[in-house]
Amino acid sequence: IVVFAGGSYLDWFPLRGLTSNNFDELSWSGKILDYFWHLALPVTALVIGNFATMTLLTKNSFLDEINKQYVVTAKAKGLTNRRVLYGHVFRNAMLLVIAGFPSAFIGIFFTGSLLVEVIFSLDGLGLMSFEAAINRDYPVVFGTLFIFTLLGLIVKLIGDLTYTLVDPRIDFASREH
C-alpha cells in the first residue's frame, strides 16, 4: 500500500513529513486536509498491523471457546448454531479478547510507531524515546516511559470497565479483599 499509493507508482499520498511546503499559505480547512492527507499512509500502516494482530487474538479466543464442553451441551439441547455462538461463545470469547486487548494494543501501537515514524520521517514519541535511550538522555527516557505507562494503565482501566458491558454478571464493586 505504501509503495503503490505513496511511492513511485501512483503518488497519491506523500511519503515524508506531516505538512506540505506551502502549509503556512493554506486556509484553516486546507491545513486540516493537508495534515490528514499526510497522515493517511502512516495511519494505514499502523492499522493494518494492529488489525492482523487483533484478528489473530480474536480467532484463537473463539476457537478455544468453541471446543469447550458447554458449547457441546448447548448444541445437544437443540440450540441453533447462531444462538450458541451469540448467546454463549461470543460473550466468553470477547472477555478474553478484552483482557488481552490493552497489552496487545499498547505493545503493537508503540512498537510499530517507531518503525512508522522512521519510514515516514515523522517526529513522534516512539522515535524520541528510542533516540533518548540511545543517547542516554535519562529525563526524556523516564518521561516517555511515564507517558507510555500512563496510557497503558488507562487502556487497562477501560478494558476492565468494558468487562461489565460484555458480561453484566461481572461486578467489581461486590468483590471483597
Side-chain angles (χ1 to χ4, degrees):
I1 290 174
V2 172
V3 172
F4 285 110
S8 59
Y9 292 106
L10 298 177
D11 199 27
W12 288 345
F13 299 103
L15 284 175
R16 294 187 153 314
L18 281 177
T19 58
S20 298
N21 293 335
N22 64 343
F23 185 76
D24 293 332
E25 301 166 6
L26 297 173
S27 66
W28 184 74
S29 60
K31 287 181 180 181
I32 292 173
L33 289 175
D34 183 64
Y35 192 70
F36 283 119
W37 181 55
H38 279 78
L39 281 179
L41 287 179
V43 169
T44 303
L46 279 174
V47 166
I48 287 173
N50 291 340
F51 180 74
T53 304
M54 288 309 297
T55 302
L56 186 64
L57 178 66
T58 306
K59 179 195 74 125
N60 289 340
S61 176
F62 272 85
L63 287 177
D64 287 343
E65 288 298 317
I66 285 175
N67 293 327
K68 291 196 174 170
Q69 192 64 35
Y70 71 92
V71 175
V72 175
T73 305
K75 286 181 180 179
K77 284 180 166 181
L79 295 176
T80 63
N81 284 337
R82 182 181 203 90
R83 177 79 173 131
V84 170
L85 283 176
Y86 289 113
H88 294 25
V89 174
F90 180 77
R91 179 176 290 166
N92 294 327
M94 288 310 293
L95 285 175
L96 294 175
V97 172
I98 290 171
F101 178 75
S103 61
F105 176 75
I106 293 297
I108 294 165
F109 183 70
F110 288 119
T111 304
S113 71
L114 174 63
L115 183 61
V116 168
E117 288 171 10
V118 169
I119 290 173
F120 293 105
S121 299
L122 302 174
D123 294 328
L125 281 177
L127 185 60
M128 183 178 74
S129 64
F130 176 72
E131 288 176 352
I134 295 296
N135 295 330
R136 296 180 187 228
D137 188 3
Y138 296 118
V140 175
V141 169
F142 289 134
T144 55
L145 183 64
F146 173 76
I147 291 171
F148 293 156
T149 305
L150 183 65
L151 286 173
L153 289 173
I154 290 170
V155 171
K156 285 183 187 241
L157 179 64
I158 291 170
D160 285 345
L161 293 176
T162 54
Y163 272 174
T164 58
L165 296 175
V166 174
D167 192 357
R169 297 174 295 175
I170 298 174
D171 184 19
F172 293 114
S174 66
R175 299 187 90 153
E176 296 179 23
H177 290 277

